[in-house]
Amino acid sequence: MSPADVTPAPPAWRLLLSHVRPHRWALAAGGFLSLLTGGAALLLPLVAKGLIDDLSRDRAITGALLAMSALVVANAVLGGLGSYVLRRTAESVVLGARRTLSSYLLRLRITAVDRSEPGDLMARITSDTTLLREVTTDSLVGFGTGGLTLLATVVMMGFVDPVLLGVTLAVVVGAGVVLGAIVPHINRASRRAQDAVGVMGASLERVLGALRTVKASGAEDREERTLHAAAEESWRQSVRAAKWAAAAGNTAGLAMQVAFITVLAVGGARVATGAIDIGTLVAFLLYVFYLMAPIQQVVGAVTQYQTGSAALARIQEALALPAEPPSPPAPLPGAGAEPAAVAFDDVRFRYADDLPYVHHGVTFAVPARGMTAFVGPSGAGKTTVFSLIERFYDPESGTVTLDGRPLGEWELTRLRSAIGYVEQDAPVLSGSLRDNLLLGHPEAGGEALDRVVRTTRLDGVVARLPQGLDTLVGHRGTKLSGGERQRVAIARALLRRPRLLLLDEATSQLDAVNEAALRDTVAEVARETTVLVVAHRLSTVTAADRIVVMDAGRVRAVGTHHDLVAADPLYAELAATQFLATAG
């Protein structure tokens, strides 16, 4: 994903707040419980000082012991409850981010998907959103509660002995300077580690998506090296981030140990001179001990924020990709809906600015009802016609209209609800055969489903499958043959009762018997709706009401089979080749 594809992201803290805002009250409750936990801990040194004073004056210590016990119990209960609330809130933040990101990715423009790696986008939903869990609790809440606890501890230390406080702060400030130099390294290493995870996901998706090809090519070892290289790069960057994070944590720990030793030395001298009593020194040392927790919490919050900011930036990059506007689902055409008319007027189009034009001023008109076939050499731009009609892409110039209305004026869901589209490779999704058939019309009744199953000659397939329509078809329909997948795709499109049916080489993998049956079905459908077919088989072309001949991104002729054989040399050549292929 190149920087040119995305807009500059807001600061990481603002992105974090945008994810946390819906859960702010639960987060505040967890933070408040954490503060109460810290407050209970801060009272212990004062109670301990009183206990020592009571012992030194031979007074009863029962009250002090009971107070300490109550504070310990309160600390444990409040700490456990606060931890649960914060962790639950963090999981809710992750859930919200995953919902937002997955919904957005489903609405990405096809142009954005073309420029992205699906595996990398998957990593942003899985790996990157998971980091929000830690950055919410450890960074946001940890910094707030740790900072307040640290401030309260410093105030209490100043109340006990200002001189020893000054000694402690001198050590802590020195450690802070060192930490300031370490933090940027954590940020850079964390971002590189997350990018490497995305590369690894993209590599894995690439291999699994064509595993048969990889095996047939004997390329397992080469692909294995690619995957291992991506995994090792992620490991290297994660180890680098861990190294700097460990350095930050150890710097904080070392500072507190130095502070403890220094306070012990200076405090011991002050006790010896009578400036303070032993109880004050013990109380202050306890505060130094308690100071370690909020300082490490703040340091951990800062280091975790650096890791989380890298994940937040990657999530924001995905949310900045071009997407289609959200709109409510549109109703499918009714049983008596009128067929659609389509027209292209001087359409020019290319898939990217650095690629050649696919269409060079394409113009044609398809009236409502009937079958129109598109023929021409490979690369002529036939499939692109269908992509433009579905508005997967928009033309660079010229106009595409449906029912005389430019496609840009149509609401996308309403436009696509009127169209049935069978792609060239006829994708089938993981799940059951029933799920795949109902994908575009989940409310279809059993009678309508049975009808399209019979129409597309899937009834024999259903009878052969162990669980019938509820049989799982495997990843990308691997348990079905190529011809069966094409029939599933055609049945799925017919079930929507489209006003416009687009068939892109929809029968290329069918045997002669099934192709003839489906050809008759399509001819019957064409009497009630508008059918556009990209075809190479002569049997499909001759049955069309009109044929559009395309070559090098232009329309060179339109007519019937009989007219074009006599009038267009390219079509005559294609037709002759088809005759030979059919005869062979």
Side-chain angles (χ1 to χ4, degrees), residues 187-205:
N187 187 310
R188 285 194 294 270
S190 298
R191 176 58 193 258
R192 289 168 183 163
Q194 288 304 109
D195 286 342
V197 170
V199 171
M200 184 173 64
S203 299
L204 186 60
E205 192 276 339

Side-chain angles (χ1 to χ4, degrees), residues 198 291 295 495:
L291 194 65
I295 284 182
L495 195 61

Side-chain angles (χ1 to χ4, degrees), residues 8-160:
W13 62 267
R14 189 176 295 172
L15 296 176
L16 177 59
L17 290 180
S18 69
H19 288 287
V20 168
R21 190 172 292 112
H23 314 282
R24 57 187 179 277
W25 295 116
L27 202 63
F32 179 70
L33 289 170
S34 297
L35 284 176
L36 289 180
T37 304
L42 287 177
L43 292 175
L44 280 172
L46 293 179
V47 176
K49 181 179 182 299
L51 179 65
I52 294 174
D53 291 342
D54 289 341
L55 285 171
S56 64
R57 293 181 174 85
D58 290 329
R59 291 200 297 258
I61 60 172
T62 305
L65 287 174
L66 288 175
M68 290 185 72
S69 300
L71 286 172
V72 168
V73 172
N75 186 280
V77 172
L78 291 173
L81 183 59
S83 177
Y84 167 74
V85 172
L86 288 177
R87 290 181 181 278
R88 189 178 189 279
T89 304
E91 292 294 344
S92 298
V93 170
V94 173
L95 173 63
R98 286 176 174 167
R99 281 176 169 173
T100 300
L101 192 53
S102 58
S103 297
Y104 192 84
L105 294 183
L106 283 173
R107 289 169 175 78
L108 283 183
R109 297 298 305 266
I110 297 298
T111 51
V113 177
D114 289 344
R115 295 194 298 268
S116 306
E117 292 285 354
D120 181 56
L121 294 177
M122 289 167 57
R124 295 175 194 241
I125 292 181
T126 53
S127 174
D128 292 335
T129 54
T130 299
L131 290 176
L132 291 180
R133 180 188 301 121
E134 284 73 25
V135 80
T136 300
T137 53
D138 296 349
S139 182
L140 189 61
V141 176
F143 188 82
T145 59
L148 289 174
T149 304
L150 177 61
L151 180 62
T153 306
V154 168
V155 171
M156 297 298 288
M157 293 171 77
F159 173 76
V160 172

Side-chain angles (χ1 to χ4, degrees), residues 407-537:
L407 296 190
E409 298 179 5
W410 284 78
E411 189 177 89
L412 270 177
T413 52
R414 188 167 294 277
L415 171 70
R416 290 173 183 164
S417 70
I419 301 173
Y421 182 31
V422 181
E423 299 174 63
Q424 197 168 30
D425 54 355
V428 173
L429 282 66
S430 296
S432 70
L433 180 57
R434 185 188 304 274
D435 292 337
N436 273 277
L437 292 172
L438 296 176
L439 181 67
H441 189 11
E443 297 83 15
E447 183 179 339
L449 186 60
D450 291 341
R451 184 178 67 254
V452 297
V453 166
R454 290 193 304 271
T455 298
T456 54
R457 294 206 168 188
L458 279 171
D459 46 353
V461 177
V462 173
R464 190 169 64 250
L465 294 174
Q467 280 85 42
L469 285 173
D470 295 313
T471 302
L472 299 179
V473 297
H475 178 61
R476 299 187 178 181
T478 53
K479 296 182 181 179
L480 301 176
S481 69
E484 289 168 348
R485 288 196 294 272
Q486 284 193 321
R487 279 180 274 170
V488 169
I490 294 170
R492 185 167 57 206
L494 292 178
L495 195 61
R496 290 164 59 87
R497 299 189 304 270
R499 298 176 55 223
L500 173 65
L501 181 60
L502 309 178
L503 303 175
D504 190 357
E505 289 292 332
T507 61
S508 60
Q509 298 187 55
L510 299 182
D511 56 68
V513 174
N514 283 311
E515 188 211 351
L518 277 176
R519 191 170 62 246
D520 293 342
T521 298
V522 171
E524 183 178 343
V525 170
R527 286 197 288 269
E528 302 296 330
T529 190
T530 307
V531 179
L532 273 58
V533 182
V534 171
H536 288 142
R537 293 190 178 182

Side-chain angles (χ1 to χ4, degrees), residues 266-276:
V266 175
R270 287 172 62 76
V271 170
T273 60
I276 58 173

Side-chain angles (χ1 to χ4, degrees), residues 214-369:
V214 171
K215 288 182 177 294
S217 303
E220 293 96 333
D221 289 343
R222 293 193 297 279
E223 296 299 331
E224 181 182 56
R225 287 194 294 272
T226 301
L227 287 171
H228 287 186
E232 287 166 6
E233 177 62 18
S234 177
W235 173 84
R236 276 193 297 272
Q237 297 300 337
S238 296
V239 167
R240 186 171 298 170
K243 176 186 69 177
W244 290 110
N250 286 340
T251 298
L254 178 62
M256 294 317 301
Q257 292 178 33
V258 171
F260 190 88
I261 294 171
T262 306
V263 167
L264 185 60
V266 175
R270 287 172 62 76
V271 170
T273 60
I276 58 173
D277 56 32
I278 188 67
T280 298
L281 177 58
V282 170
F284 198 92
L285 287 172
L286 284 174
Y287 275 122
V288 173
F289 177 76
Y290 280 121
L291 194 65
M292 294 178 66
I295 284 182
Q296 288 183 332
Q297 195 173 15
V298 170
V299 171
V302 173
T303 55
Q304 188 62 55
Y305 175 78
Q306 300 306 314
T307 301
S309 64
L312 284 164
R314 282 171 50 81
I315 291 171
Q316 187 61 25
E317 282 180 1
L319 291 174
L321 290 170
E324 297 169 348
S327 56
L332 294 173
E338 288 295 317
V342 178
F344 276 49
D345 182 18
D346 196 25
V347 169
R348 289 172 58 83
F349 172 76
R350 54 182 170 178
Y351 285 98
D353 292 342
D354 57 345
L355 294 177
Y357 280 94
V358 179
H359 284 175
H360 302 269
V362 170
T363 300
F364 64 84
V366 176
R369 197 173 278 105

